[in-house]
Amino acid sequence: MVRRTSEAVPLKGPIDGSAEQNAYIEKITKQFTISPKYLNAICNHFMAEMDKGLNAEGQTLAMIPSYVEGRLTGQEKGSFLALDLGGTNLRVVLVTLLGDGKYKTKSSKSRITEELKTGPMRNLCDYIADCVDEFLTEEGLGDVDSDLHLGYTFSFPVLQSKATCTSQINRGILKSWTKGFNCSGAVNKDPVMLLQDALLRKNVPVKVAALVNDAVGTLLSNAYEKPATAIGLILGTGSNGGYIEKMERIGKWKGGETSADEMIINMEFGAFDNERAILPTTQYDNKVDRQSINPGFQIFEKMVSGMYLGEITRNVILDMMDREILFGPGETYDCKSWSKEMSGHYAFETSHMSAIEADGTPDLTRTKEVLYLNMNLHDLTTAEGRVIKRVCELVGTRAAHLAGAAIAGIVKHCQVDPVTGIDVGIDGSLYEFYPSFETRIYEALAILLPDHQDVRKTVRLGLAKDGSGVGAALTACVASEMEHRKKGTMA
């Protein structure tokens, strides 16, 4: 699928600011720039953490077995429902698999309010059940004879275990909330059972057949069209990765015999380096972490994902304002008004950074417009615009390079052939829309994978088509096939 983003237009030459501004930018440039040597160290540490997570529970990289066994061929057929929960919206999708890597979908979208994100889990599940019921009614599926099978993309850390002799592809325990969610009555409970109870209470004819993380779903969605896919990533509001692992390398596996010799691993790599052993955190990252709903956790995600990049940038700008390096004091500045806008947590969105990075006008007209319309920053000089644009470049580039370190770590771990290569499916607004994010990932991959002569041809990044929606439906399909194999009805 073609990405719709543009390329960033980098600043050329110095920012032409004051001596104080120039000195400050020089300082943070050193803090946010990751040298090739440092990038390799991060990648190596990432690989070591992968091995720890595969061989023992309770590691920083959870490396959770997904119970999704084997690989897709692209020839699977049938109709399945998908439910996608994990960001600002809830989606219900009807997916019809046609074979030959083709499918068709119908979907509806509903917004998840802050009240639902932080209230009782029962309220959230009731709301989800109502949305599913309404969608089925609209599609004329409200009175079907048998329950429709649904794949549930639940994009949070979930531990899936084989408590019985049957596969637990539709069972799991929520380990913790991320991405701004903090519902009560959910942690250490099974999200599938909580949702299934709500569906039963409301007489909705749906069986939750599979529980899948968004990264796993993205991998499956890409693999249906490109069977050489073995990695799936989320680079959007949050960040995560999944990949296909050989069962013999999952040392902690206690689930008994499987129907295939491979299984998708849900890495939960947003938690990478929670110990702060290797990542180049700055005072601005520390402030974002302290003021988050989960201090000390998801450190990697807070440096890479779209939810936090704007906030990191805001912290840099606010520090410059507090030091009176930027926007004053002076007769033309309304500092109180500006400070009020900039002081709002998460007020400076990552989408603002995207617009600013794409601005190629000589006097940064678009940058000034974005800052005026969204942050009440008016009458900016071009030098001030260049300062802010440079900060966006630094934060955005660091995020992409760190994402590249994670991808390279997985590629090395999987011992991908540097000639035949691998397909990587990626879902998420950051990858899709942030200018030059993919280009900067490839910058890191070229450094970290020197044995790949043309890394763009051997690590084939691509936007997954509706990864979390179609992928969830494909997981329900996989669950059905696994069940058939166990019953001996399939070869």
Side-chain angles (χ1 to χ4, degrees), residues 32-35 39 42 300 304 394-407 437 439-445 447-448:
F32 280 92
T33 302
I34 307 175
S35 69
L39 201 59
I42 293 171
F300 186 73
V304 170
L394 290 170
V395 175
T397 299
R398 185 188 68 169
H401 286 177
L402 288 173
I407 295 170
F437 204 83
T439 299
R440 292 165 178 171
I441 289 176
Y442 274 122
E443 289 173 356
L445 293 179
I447 293 170
L448 298 168

Side-chain angles (χ1 to χ4, degrees), residues 213 215-216 232-234 239-243 265-269 410:
N213 182 271
V216 177
L233 298 179
I234 298 297
S239 61
N240 192 19
Y243 73 101
I265 295 293
N266 166 26
M267 302 179 71
E268 291 298 338
F269 70 36
I410 302 170

Side-chain angles (χ1 to χ4, degrees), residues 6 10 39 203 211 229 250 285 420:
S6 59
L39 201 59
N203 297 312
L211 177 66
T229 301
I250 309 176
D285 300 297
T420 58

Side-chain angles (χ1 to χ4, degrees), residues 129-405:
D130 286 336
C131 291
V132 173
D133 191 24
E134 182 179 346
F135 175 76
L136 294 180
T137 300
E138 290 175 354
E139 295 300 324
L141 298 172
D143 297 317
V144 292
D145 294 332
S146 60
D147 286 350
L148 294 165
H149 285 63
L150 179 143
Y152 187 11
T153 297
F154 187 75
S155 306
F156 305 95
V158 171
L159 177 63
Q160 287 176 273
S161 61
K162 189 170 281 192
T164 69
C165 62
T166 59
S167 171
Q168 296 298 296
I169 196 171
N170 67 337
R171 291 290 180 268
I173 299 297
L174 175 64
K175 294 179 60 183
S176 63
W177 286 112
T178 58
K179 305 173 188 176
F181 281 72
N182 197 24
C183 292
S184 60
V187 175
N188 294 323
K189 294 186 179 180
D190 186 346
V192 170
M193 295 301 294
L194 294 173
L195 176 59
Q196 191 71 67
D197 285 346
L199 292 167
L200 289 170
R201 284 197 306 271
K202 295 177 177 291
N203 297 312
V204 183
V206 168
K207 175 186 176 181
V208 185
L211 177 66
V212 61
N213 182 271
D214 51 1
V216 177
T218 295
L219 191 161
L220 289 174
S221 174
N222 210 65
Y224 189 62
E225 182 180 355
K226 302 174 183 176
T229 301
I231 300 174
L233 298 179
I234 298 297
L235 294 174
T237 304
S239 61
N240 192 19
Y243 73 101
I244 298 175
E245 181 63 279
K246 292 287 186 182
M247 291 302 305
E248 62 190 25
R249 299 188 71 178
I250 309 176
K252 65 183 179 182
W253 176 254
K254 297 178 181 179
E257 187 177 351
T258 57
S259 63
D261 64 355
E262 294 178 318
M263 179 179 289
I264 299 177
I265 295 293
N266 166 26
M267 302 179 71
E268 291 298 338
F269 70 36
F272 171 58
D273 201 40
N274 279 347
E275 306 89 348
R276 296 172 181 257
I278 191 73
L279 289 176
T281 52
T282 66
Q283 69 185 71
Y284 317 105
D285 300 297
N286 293 337
K287 185 176 180 180
V288 168
D289 181 44
R290 283 196 311 272
Q291 296 177 341
S292 69
I293 64 172
N294 55 347
F297 296 93
Q298 300 297 110
I299 299 301
F300 186 73
E301 180 171 84
K302 289 170 183 172
M303 299 175 73
V304 170
S305 67
M307 181 172 179
Y308 301 100
L309 299 189
E311 182 68 357
I312 297 169
T313 301
R314 186 187 72 89
N315 283 340
V316 176
I317 296 171
L318 203 60
D319 186 56
M320 296 185 75
M321 292 173 65
D322 290 342
R323 296 171 185 270
E324 297 187 343
I325 296 174
L326 198 60
F327 310 143
E331 296 181 359
T332 61
Y333 299 104
D334 182 3
C335 294
K336 290 182 179 179
S337 174
W338 288 2
S339 297
K340 179 180 179 181
E341 298 290 338
M342 287 298 298
S343 294
H345 293 310
Y346 295 92
F348 193 88
E349 299 177 2
T350 303
S351 60
H352 303 341
M353 297 172 63
S354 294
I356 290 170
E357 284 233 55
D359 185 7
T361 58
D363 58 353
L364 298 182
T365 302
R366 177 59 180 147
T367 295
K368 295 173 184 176
E369 182 182 76
V370 168
L371 295 171
Y372 172 63
L373 293 176
N374 295 286
M375 307 306 301
N376 197 28
L377 297 175
H378 51 83
D379 300 321
L380 264 66
T381 65
T382 299
E384 289 166 338
R386 290 174 68 85
V387 167
I388 294 175
K389 183 175 173 71
R390 180 58 179 150
V391 174
C392 292
E393 288 177 352
L394 290 170
V395 175
T397 299
R398 185 188 68 169
H401 286 177
L402 288 173

Side-chain angles (χ1 to χ4, degrees), residues 117-138:
K117 286 183 179 181
T118 56
M121 185 61 172
R122 182 186 177 102
N123 292 355
L124 178 61
C125 288
D126 283 348
Y127 175 74
I128 294 171
D130 286 336
C131 291
V132 173
D133 191 24
E134 182 179 346
F135 175 76
L136 294 180
T137 300
E138 290 175 354

